[in-house]
């Protein structure tokens, strides 16, 4: 499966990317891993995806909780516009593998819905196969991507790992 690399010049591009993902019907039953250094923009991307799907209210980061559940009350992609469950995982502080069983992560990953996973490497050996990897990296600044404090460019690589991942990639490339 062929990886695809693109650039975000600023956070508006991050939002556009998130909207394309959210518009793809395949998103409703998918697992996406988000990789990249601290500050690369993983949580920011998740927030834009959640907003684009229609999640309202405050969106907390799951860094301390490991998982933060969300619900899209009316999901246009589901029959009868049923609610969509979204789980935002952040395994940065995951250091007790027993938590995998105790916290019910196995059941969460097996149930229908969208799973967005930051720091997947820290749960290696437990995580089921993902549909796609998204890797974010702060891009070097140049004339094509002048940066100010708030908005900086990112290099983004999407690697599809399943037919669902291929559908999501196709939506991103339109
Ligand atoms: P991570 O979850 O990868 O550690 P965060 O999303 O928490 O990173 O932080 C990324 C920071 O970079 C945020 O403050 C965000 O506003 C900022 N930022 C600037 N430009 C971008 C961009 N193009 N895409 C994503 N985040 C950006
Ligand atoms: Mg984060």
């Amino acid at each position: 499966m062929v990886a695809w690399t693109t650039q975000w010049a600023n956070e508006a591009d991050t939002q556009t990317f998130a909207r394309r993902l959210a518009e793809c019907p395949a998103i409703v039953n998918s697992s996406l891993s988000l990789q990249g250094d601290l500050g690369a923009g993983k949580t920011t991307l998740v927030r834009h995806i959640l907003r684009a799907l229609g999640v309202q209210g405050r969106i907390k980061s799951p860094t301390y909780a490991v998982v933060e559940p969300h619900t899209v009350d009316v999901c246009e992609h589901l029959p009868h516009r049923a609610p969509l469950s979204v789980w935002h995982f952040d395994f940065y502080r995951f250091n007790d593998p027993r938590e995998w069983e105790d916290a019910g992560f196995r059941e969460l990953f097996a149930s229908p819905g969208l799973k967005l996973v930051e720091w997947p490497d820290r749960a290696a050996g437990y995580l089921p196969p993902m549909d796609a990897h998204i890797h974010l990296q702060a891009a070097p600044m140049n004339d094509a991507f002048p940066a100010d404090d708030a908005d900086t460019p990112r290099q983004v690589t999407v690697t599809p790992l399943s037919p669902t991942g291929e559908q999501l990639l196709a939506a991103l490339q339109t």
Side-chain angles (χ1 to χ4, degrees), residues 38-39 41-44 61-63 88 90 118-119:
L38 276 178
K42 303 179 292 297
T43 302
T44 303
S61 175
T63 301
H88 177 193
D90 184 337
E118 295 186 50
W119 297 99

Side-chain angles (χ1 to χ4, degrees), residues 8 10-11 14 37-44 118 150-152 154:
W8 300 334
N10 48 45
E11 216 180 300
T14 310
D37 294 339
L38 276 178
K42 303 179 292 297
T43 302
T44 303
E118 295 186 50
D151 266 342
T152 51
R154 299 291 190 270

